[in-house]
Amino acid sequence: MVHHKEFEGAGKEPGLRVWRIENMDLKPVPKALYGNFYSGDAYVLLFTTPAPSYNIHMWLGDECSQDESGAAAIFAMQMDDYLGGGPVQFREVQDHESNTFLGYFKSGIKYQKGGVASGFQHVVTNDMNVKRLLQVKGRRAIRATEVEMSWSSFNKGDCFIVDLGKDVYVWCGSECNRFERLKASQVGIDIRDNERNGRAKLHMVEEGAEPDDLTKILGPVTTIAPSTPDDDKVETANRNKGALYMISDASGSMKVTAVAPSSPFKQAMLSPEECYILDNGLDKNIFVWKGACPKANEKERKQAMTAAQEFIKDKGYSPKTQIQVFPQGSETTLFKQFFSDWRDKDETTGPRKAYSIGSIAKVKQVPFDASTLHSNKAMAAQHGMVDDGKGKVQIWRVENGEKVPVDSTSHGLFYGGDCYLILYSYRQGAREQHIIYTWQGLKCTQDELGASAFLTVKLDDSMGGAPVQVRVTQGQEPPHLMSLFQDKPMIILSGGTSRKGGQSQAGGTRLFHIRHSSTGATRAVEVDPSASNLNTNDVFVLKSPSALYVWRGQGANDEEMEAAKHVVSFLGGSPSHVSENKEPADFWSALGGKKEYQTSKSLQGIIKPPRLFGCSNKTGRLVVEEVPGDFTQSDLATDDVMILDTWDQLFIWVGNEANEEERKGAPKIAKEYVDSDPSGRRGIPITTIKQGAEPPTFTGWFQAWDSKMWETDPLERVRARF
């Protein structure tokens, strides 16, 4: 193993380390200058999580030499080797960095001209003889690029920073919006606090009101160019287009053979003894997967990054293409999206839980305790509970385009041929809060679906637009909705309707699956009467023309048995109790014979970090971008619509200043996003909330949510730090 003195501290403690390649060697960059990159240089970065797990990034400037990029690649490979081959490796190119990389620099990345070769050093100085002009771009990922110091570099649509050492001017074009001003101000603050040790003075300048100090340096203001649209993002259609190849060097030289020409792929295509390239070059991404089997070829694994770089050349892809290399078991979310059946180890079907993150990888699963719901927002968010469900419940069925009240004796019974509106009201502090659940049966008509959406909006408007709206598809009910029926389970029938005479003659044999959730609510869902639907973790009620059984799986609990009594009384008859592995022959024949079913007891505990996206049409097209890194409340752009993905549900957050197109387009994007996710999350609940009326199920995903934040203008708050 190659040993370098800089490796000694590598990975010993959580956080970020940055090195620059200088004279073919690794030189550490001072912490205060993290986020500054010279476009003539190459860098190696290591990020260590508390777990620990590792990300190694090599970053290549636009003008770095072949030799420097080669040296960066070698050091990255040696560091990977030093850390046992476990890290995920990224190749980053200036202006095209991965979201993972951008997430390390929340106040933006600064690109400077020049590099080692031209004598530029990374040193923190009190030297005030600086003269540079930075153009600031981006709403979620901020990049400040050094451009030529002249009025011809400016345009009306961007913010610029004129950095003169002891004075730093943030110049805002007349067409740039509030959020861009906010981000540019943060870059200015970062330059003052970190690069100048707090010794510089910050000034805000609006286009047309330039002070004399600026015109002294730049000359009289000439005509400022109009704003230029940002480069169009790759169409979403290309996002998930990929091809899969296997790498081998059986013949002594690296060879690439096609495994599957287009995604989605099956996880079984990846053999643990091989290395693979997943080609998503259309969206400028290439992934290399290294099998974990000890038999896997050592040389193939070590040369993985080199093979990917060769591959990009052979395919004629842009040299800006991002590369991610990871060992089996460390796959990134981006990679898994190309597989229709991806399951992490010990994981069964259906949406997984996301966990609230204090900082990446210090992930805690918070146990449920209803008594502390109001004070513990992280718990409320993880379990999707705003309260204990003891508030006021009103239910209507959608019938002939109108809403018809459902008798309270049949609250909790949901027919698959119906749509329902459930209005839940509860008190939080002194205020009354409301949630409208729109429950859509899988067998209801198109007209009813349309009417349910229309009636929801009407009900929302009649209450002044304050309620939170949650769209629920049959079988994907969130825990809070299930808890509204208190001690009774929520019973979901596969078809039929609750209208007079509408209970279609149910099949002769019916099977109900009963599951108790971590929040204490229980749901009984009618499923296809087949043995393959049984599950060792739960209780089932089976009714055949001649018998009634309650089947208890080995992992089932008493609450599920209790709920079975309600299902039995709904079906009528006296049941026989059956334990798993002690079934009578009649039980299996009623189910059409014995079949394999889910017997794994490890359903919980899969960790998925939540993700936040912004939907904005500020460029003229509706664009969706992910917020990099650990997100905070201030990443919610008040002039956009944001989407928060917590795996078993999706939130659409509507900023007060979002425009009509964003408001209309976001729900469509959210639905497409979930429906196209290969991990099978179709139909998970989508909740729409408005800025200023966020429930704890949403705010709990944010570290230290401040309910007073919206009372002051975010731009004013940042300006106050000038």
PDB file of all heavy atoms in Angstrom, residues 149-161:
ATOM      1  N   MET A 149     -12.460  42.086 -15.265  1.00  0.00           N
ATOM      2  CA  MET A 149     -12.853  43.257 -14.484  1.00  0.00           C
ATOM      3  C   MET A 149     -13.247  44.393 -15.440  1.00  0.00           C
ATOM      4  O   MET A 149     -12.445  45.277 -15.734  1.00  0.00           O
ATOM      5  CB  MET A 149     -11.653  43.676 -13.617  1.00  0.00           C
ATOM      6  CG  MET A 149     -11.952  44.755 -12.624  1.00  0.00           C
ATOM      7  SD  MET A 149     -12.731  44.031 -11.180  1.00  0.00           S
ATOM      8  CE  MET A 149     -12.286  45.145  -9.918  1.00  0.00           C
ATOM      9  N   SER A 150     -14.473  44.359 -15.957  1.00  0.00           N
ATOM     10  CA  SER A 150     -14.898  45.434 -16.856  1.00  0.00           C
ATOM     11  C   SER A 150     -16.422  45.411 -16.943  1.00  0.00           C
ATOM     12  O   SER A 150     -17.050  44.365 -16.732  1.00  0.00           O
ATOM     13  CB  SER A 150     -14.271  45.227 -18.245  1.00  0.00           C
ATOM     14  OG  SER A 150     -15.260  45.033 -19.211  1.00  0.00           O
ATOM     15  N   TRP A 151     -17.025  46.575 -17.248  1.00  0.00           N
ATOM     16  CA  TRP A 151     -18.490  46.647 -17.304  1.00  0.00           C
ATOM     17  C   TRP A 151     -19.062  45.683 -18.339  1.00  0.00           C
ATOM     18  O   TRP A 151     -20.209  45.271 -18.250  1.00  0.00           O
ATOM     19  CB  TRP A 151     -18.954  48.078 -17.615  1.00  0.00           C
ATOM     20  CG  TRP A 151     -18.779  49.013 -16.450  1.00  0.00           C
ATOM     21  CD1 TRP A 151     -17.968  50.103 -16.387  1.00  0.00           C
ATOM     22  CD2 TRP A 151     -19.437  48.941 -15.173  1.00  0.00           C
ATOM     23  NE1 TRP A 151     -18.053  50.708 -15.151  1.00  0.00           N
ATOM     24  CE2 TRP A 151     -18.957  50.018 -14.379  1.00  0.00           C
ATOM     25  CE3 TRP A 151     -20.369  48.061 -14.603  1.00  0.00           C
ATOM     26  CZ2 TRP A 151     -19.384  50.249 -13.073  1.00  0.00           C
ATOM     27  CZ3 TRP A 151     -20.796  48.288 -13.298  1.00  0.00           C
ATOM     28  CH2 TRP A 151     -20.295  49.371 -12.546  1.00  0.00           C
ATOM     29  N   SER A 152     -18.242  45.295 -19.336  1.00  0.00           N
ATOM     30  CA  SER A 152     -18.769  44.402 -20.379  1.00  0.00           C
ATOM     31  C   SER A 152     -19.048  42.994 -19.835  1.00  0.00           C
ATOM     32  O   SER A 152     -19.752  42.207 -20.463  1.00  0.00           O
ATOM     33  CB  SER A 152     -17.784  44.316 -21.542  1.00  0.00           C
ATOM     34  OG  SER A 152     -16.557  43.798 -21.058  1.00  0.00           O
ATOM     35  N   SER A 153     -18.510  42.684 -18.627  1.00  0.00           N
ATOM     36  CA  SER A 153     -18.789  41.364 -18.030  1.00  0.00           C
ATOM     37  C   SER A 153     -20.157  41.326 -17.350  1.00  0.00           C
ATOM     38  O   SER A 153     -20.687  40.253 -17.070  1.00  0.00           O
ATOM     39  CB  SER A 153     -17.722  41.023 -16.981  1.00  0.00           C
ATOM     40  OG  SER A 153     -16.443  40.992 -17.560  1.00  0.00           O
ATOM     41  N   PHE A 154     -20.728  42.502 -17.052  1.00  0.00           N
ATOM     42  CA  PHE A 154     -21.976  42.556 -16.282  1.00  0.00           C
ATOM     43  C   PHE A 154     -23.193  42.245 -17.158  1.00  0.00           C
ATOM     44  O   PHE A 154     -23.164  42.442 -18.368  1.00  0.00           O
ATOM     45  CB  PHE A 154     -22.163  43.959 -15.680  1.00  0.00           C
ATOM     46  CG  PHE A 154     -21.249  44.263 -14.522  1.00  0.00           C
ATOM     47  CD1 PHE A 154     -19.887  44.499 -14.712  1.00  0.00           C
ATOM     48  CD2 PHE A 154     -21.750  44.325 -13.229  1.00  0.00           C
ATOM     49  CE1 PHE A 154     -19.044  44.789 -13.649  1.00  0.00           C
ATOM     50  CE2 PHE A 154     -20.914  44.620 -12.155  1.00  0.00           C
ATOM     51  CZ  PHE A 154     -19.563  44.851 -12.356  1.00  0.00           C
ATOM     52  N   ASN A 155     -24.285  41.771 -16.510  1.00  0.00           N
ATOM     53  CA  ASN A 155     -25.578  41.722 -17.207  1.00  0.00           C
ATOM     54  C   ASN A 155     -26.691  41.967 -16.198  1.00  0.00           C
ATOM     55  O   ASN A 155     -26.497  41.831 -14.992  1.00  0.00           O
ATOM     56  CB  ASN A 155     -25.754  40.398 -17.960  1.00  0.00           C
ATOM     57  CG  ASN A 155     -26.024  39.238 -17.032  1.00  0.00           C
ATOM     58  OD1 ASN A 155     -27.053  39.188 -16.365  1.00  0.00           O
ATOM     59  ND2 ASN A 155     -25.085  38.288 -16.973  1.00  0.00           N
ATOM     60  N   LYS A 156     -27.873  42.335 -16.708  1.00  0.00           N
ATOM     61  CA  LYS A 156     -28.974  42.760 -15.838  1.00  0.00           C
ATOM     62  C   LYS A 156     -29.586  41.626 -15.013  1.00  0.00           C
ATOM     63  O   LYS A 156     -30.279  41.866 -14.035  1.00  0.00           O
ATOM     64  CB  LYS A 156     -30.103  43.374 -16.692  1.00  0.00           C
ATOM     65  CG  LYS A 156     -29.732  44.676 -17.362  1.00  0.00           C
ATOM     66  CD  LYS A 156     -30.883  45.144 -18.274  1.00  0.00           C
ATOM     67  CE  LYS A 156     -30.565  46.449 -18.970  1.00  0.00           C
ATOM     68  NZ  LYS A 156     -30.399  47.590 -18.032  1.00  0.00           N
ATOM     69  N   GLY A 157     -29.346  40.362 -15.438  1.00  0.00           N
ATOM     70  CA  GLY A 157     -30.043  39.252 -14.782  1.00  0.00           C
ATOM     71  C   GLY A 157     -29.273  38.585 -13.662  1.00  0.00           C
ATOM     72  O   GLY A 157     -29.796  37.705 -12.995  1.00  0.00           O
ATOM     73  N   ASP A 158     -28.014  38.978 -13.457  1.00  0.00           N
ATOM     74  CA  ASP A 158     -27.203  38.312 -12.434  1.00  0.00           C
ATOM     75  C   ASP A 158     -26.730  39.290 -11.369  1.00  0.00           C
ATOM     76  O   ASP A 158     -26.837  40.500 -11.524  1.00  0.00           O
ATOM     77  CB  ASP A 158     -25.959  37.660 -13.073  1.00  0.00           C
ATOM     78  CG  ASP A 158     -26.333  36.391 -13.838  1.00  0.00           C
ATOM     79  OD1 ASP A 158     -27.304  35.720 -13.439  1.00  0.00           O
ATOM     80  OD2 ASP A 158     -25.653  36.084 -14.837  1.00  0.00           O
ATOM     81  N   CYS A 159     -26.177  38.710 -10.279  1.00  0.00           N
ATOM     82  CA  CYS A 159     -25.527  39.532  -9.264  1.00  0.00           C
ATOM     83  C   CYS A 159     -24.019  39.364  -9.447  1.00  0.00           C
ATOM     84  O   CYS A 159     -23.546  38.287  -9.832  1.00  0.00           O
ATOM     85  CB  CYS A 159     -25.919  39.061  -7.867  1.00  0.00           C
ATOM     86  SG  CYS A 159     -27.670  39.273  -7.537  1.00  0.00           S
ATOM     87  N   PHE A 160     -23.269  40.432  -9.154  1.00  0.00           N
ATOM     88  CA  PHE A 160     -21.808  40.397  -9.286  1.00  0.00           C
ATOM     89  C   PHE A 160     -21.188  40.895  -7.997  1.00  0.00           C
ATOM     90  O   PHE A 160     -21.801  41.699  -7.278  1.00  0.00           O
ATOM     91  CB  PHE A 160     -21.360  41.295 -10.448  1.00  0.00           C
ATOM     92  CG  PHE A 160     -21.712  40.738 -11.797  1.00  0.00           C
ATOM     93  CD1 PHE A 160     -23.010  40.831 -12.283  1.00  0.00           C
ATOM     94  CD2 PHE A 160     -20.759  40.101 -12.572  1.00  0.00           C
ATOM     95  CE1 PHE A 160     -23.353  40.297 -13.521  1.00  0.00           C
ATOM     96  CE2 PHE A 160     -21.088  39.568 -13.813  1.00  0.00           C
ATOM     97  CZ  PHE A 160     -22.389  39.670 -14.289  1.00  0.00           C
ATOM     98  N   ILE A 161     -19.979  40.413  -7.705  1.00  0.00           N
ATOM     99  CA  ILE A 161     -19.278  40.914  -6.526  1.00  0.00           C
ATOM    100  C   ILE A 161     -18.000  41.596  -6.988  1.00  0.00           C
ATOM    101  O   ILE A 161     -17.155  40.968  -7.646  1.00  0.00           O
ATOM    102  CB  ILE A 161     -18.987  39.776  -5.541  1.00  0.00           C
ATOM    103  CG1 ILE A 161     -20.323  39.310  -4.954  1.00  0.00           C
ATOM    104  CG2 ILE A 161     -18.035  40.243  -4.431  1.00  0.00           C
ATOM    105  CD1 ILE A 161     -20.221  38.166  -3.998  1.00  0.00           C
TER     106      ILE A 161
END
